[in-house]
Amino acid sequence: MHTPIAQRSKLPHVGTTIFTVIGQLAAKHQAINLSQGAPNFPCSEALVRYAHEAMQAGHNQYAPMSGLPALRQAIVDKVEALYGQRYDVDSEVTVMASASEALFSAVTALVHEGDEVIVFEPAFDSYIPMIELQGATPVVIKLSAPEFAIPWDDVAARITPRTRMILLNTPHNPTGTVLSAADVARLEAITEGTDIVVLSDEVYEHVVFDGELHHSMSRHPRLAARSVVVTSFGKTFHVTGWRVGYCLAPQALMDEIRKVHQFAMFAADTPMQYALARLMAEPEHYLGLSAFYQQKRDVLVDALAASPLQLIPSRGSFFLLASFAHLSDESDSSFVQRLITQHGVATIPVSAFYRDGTDQRVIRLSFAKDEATLRAGAERLCRI
Ligand code: GLN
């Protein structure tokens, strides 16, 4: 429909998210889909039953703005058991309508116009637009294949009086890296004595491989005191479509975040919160998740042994990176397009996670898929 209304985009450089673009192309070509980080296998039957029972019991109206008390209690108990930090159940945890909403609410509440936010690329594609929507400046620090290590000296050098926030993600999407104890020590030293908030996207907190430790900010008291920790039930319980996540923060930060959350969403879905609170009482679901996904990672890595792709080790998350730099000069986007149209397998070009399209000829494969899909996708990738 034509509109006579003149308008000015707030995000003039942003197009449709890569996950939608590739998803549609994959569907059109009936490609095996190793692109989106979303399980193609079912969640626990009990979880569905719990949600159904909550609906049947009449829990179909608004939940409390901050989240169902039983769920908040389950969250703070889990966080204390795993990471040692005790968050106040009433004032320091908020259930959100997805981790995305939590990140968005935190940035909106805490970042002012003219502030600077340090963000590392490759970055999940929502981060920089979220910052720009506040009239703030993303200060981008690029990480390079194959290590994607954080250059902490550069971080220290880029801090100014305007630096309001450092946005981190561990385990990392798309690279599969995890923060180490040394990274955390540098972060702690660099932020000491400043008013910098650490916004820590930890949606893959339970997906860390080879016995490594997840360095949640809530494991490190001095960092926890300046951090907003965001995580997701979708990733943990195989229900990415439920859109329920949460964030943790000291009360002074959380008070501000809730002011945004209450007007953006007010509350997350009620029956889902009842169901998740019940499943949280069965810790084996999240305690076993690293082993569950490590097995999937290994199936994919083994099945790709005969492919010409050069794999970059994945230490956590749902993702494995693969380089084709030695195979072709084409851009990662055209390589991905060719894999879909000619070979019937969908992946994500890593340039999509760089604002300026930095192309290192690396693609991202998701192993959050059943074994048959992983094997079938890998078989096709062996024939490229
Ligand atoms: N986080 C998932 C991924 O990186 C899905 C993102 C999305 O589809 N918005 O693949």
Side-chain angles (χ1 to χ4, degrees):
M1 191 194 338
H2 174 74
T3 174
I5 292 171
Q7 59 109 26
R8 202 155 49 92
S9 175
K10 290 186 119 177
L11 295 171
H13 308 299
V14 169
T16 305
T17 171
I18 189 73
F19 307 108
T20 301
V21 171
I22 297 289
Q24 286 173 347
L25 199 62
K28 183 170 161 205
H29 293 275
Q30 294 176 345
I32 291 169
N33 198 343
L34 304 183
S35 66
Q36 201 181 30
N40 71 338
F41 45 84
C43 67
S44 130
E45 274 178 37
L47 187 61
V48 173
R49 194 173 70 248
Y50 296 159
H52 191 201
E53 285 173 10
M55 290 179 195
Q56 285 176 318
H59 298 304
N60 298 305
Q61 309 308 328
Y62 299 120
M65 180 272 275
S66 59
L68 212 64
L71 185 54
R72 281 189 277 116
Q73 189 65 54
I75 293 166
V76 299
D77 289 346
K78 181 201 84 168
V79 170
E80 183 175 23
L82 293 185
Y83 309 126
Q85 182 68 43
R86 182 80 201 162
Y87 287 89
D88 182 74
V89 69
D90 293 320
S91 60
E92 297 185 325
V93 55
T94 302
V95 179
M96 295 275 182
S98 78
S100 291
E101 196 236 332
L103 292 167
F104 202 91
S105 295
V107 172
T108 303
L110 303 175
V111 174
H112 292 248
E113 190 176 346
D115 284 351
E116 294 175 358
V117 177
I118 293 180
V119 53
F120 302 96
E121 283 190 328
F124 187 63
D125 68 349
S126 70
Y127 293 171
I128 289 176
M130 277 185 323
I131 296 162
E132 290 175 335
L133 282 173
Q134 315 312 322
T137 305
V139 174
V140 175
I141 296 179
K142 276 194 203 177
L143 313 180
S144 301
E147 298 288 334
F148 299 101
I150 295 183
W152 288 107
D153 290 340
D154 283 2
V155 178
R158 302 287 291 275
I159 288 177
T160 75
R162 287 178 179 269
T163 309
R164 176 60 176 148
M165 177 180 276
I166 299 176
L167 208 171
L168 288 171
N169 171 214
T170 185
H172 190 263
N173 178 8
T175 65
T177 57
V178 297
L179 284 189
S180 66
D183 288 319
V184 171
R186 290 299 308 273
L187 176 65
E188 200 168 294
I190 283 171
T191 53
E192 195 66 34
T194 72
D195 292 325
I196 296 171
V197 172
V198 174
L199 176 56
S200 186
D201 175 352
E202 302 181 11
V203 299
Y204 301 102
E205 65 174 322
H206 299 301
V207 188
V208 178
F209 307 136
D210 308 312
E212 281 198 67
L213 207 61
H214 169 56
H215 279 285
S216 174
M217 295 303 113
S218 55
R219 194 186 278 285
H220 303 279
R222 294 223 301 254
L223 285 169
R226 63 170 70 250
S227 293
V228 181
V229 175
V230 170
T231 188
S232 152
F233 289 110
K235 305 290 190 289
T236 300
F237 295 121
H238 318 313
V239 285
T240 60
W242 279 22
R243 316 304 292 139
V244 189
Y246 61 89
C247 66
L248 303 157
Q251 181 174 355
L253 300 180
M254 188 61 87
D255 284 350
E256 295 305 312
I257 294 169
R258 284 183 179 176
K259 290 179 191 174
V260 175
H261 162 70
Q262 70 186 347
F263 296 137
M265 288 303 296
F266 182 67
D269 284 1
T270 305
M272 277 57 177
Q273 292 193 61
Y274 274 94
L276 290 164
R278 284 178 73 181
L279 205 66
M280 285 286 278
E282 301 165 24
E284 61 275 14
H285 290 286
Y286 54 85
L287 295 179
L289 206 64
S290 287
F292 176 81
Y293 275 109
Q294 183 168 323
Q295 198 255 343
K296 291 189 177 297
R297 176 199 66 173
D298 292 346
V299 164
L300 184 60
V301 168
D302 290 349
L304 286 172
S307 98
L309 295 169
Q310 206 158 52
L311 306 184
I312 298 174
S314 168
R315 295 158 63 197
S317 81
F318 289 175
F319 308 112
L320 174 67
L321 296 187
S323 167
F324 65 93
H326 55 298
L327 299 176
S328 155
D329 283 340
E330 70 198 302
S331 71
D332 64 358
S333 301
S334 81
F335 186 70
V336 161
Q337 194 135 2
R338 205 157 59 75
L339 290 183
I340 296 172
T341 57
Q342 294 178 16
H343 298 279
V345 53
T347 62
I348 299 280
V350 169
S351 64
F353 299 87
Y354 288 90
R355 185 173 52 168
D356 65 1
T358 295
D359 185 350
Q360 300 167 93
R361 301 204 174 83
V362 174
I363 58 173
R364 189 195 79 171
L365 291 75
S366 164
F367 47 80
K369 307 294 167 192
D370 59 40
E371 204 167 311
T373 302
L374 293 174
R375 288 191 190 286
E379 196 175 298
R380 291 181 182 190
L381 289 169
C382 287
R383 285 192 256 114
I384 62 176

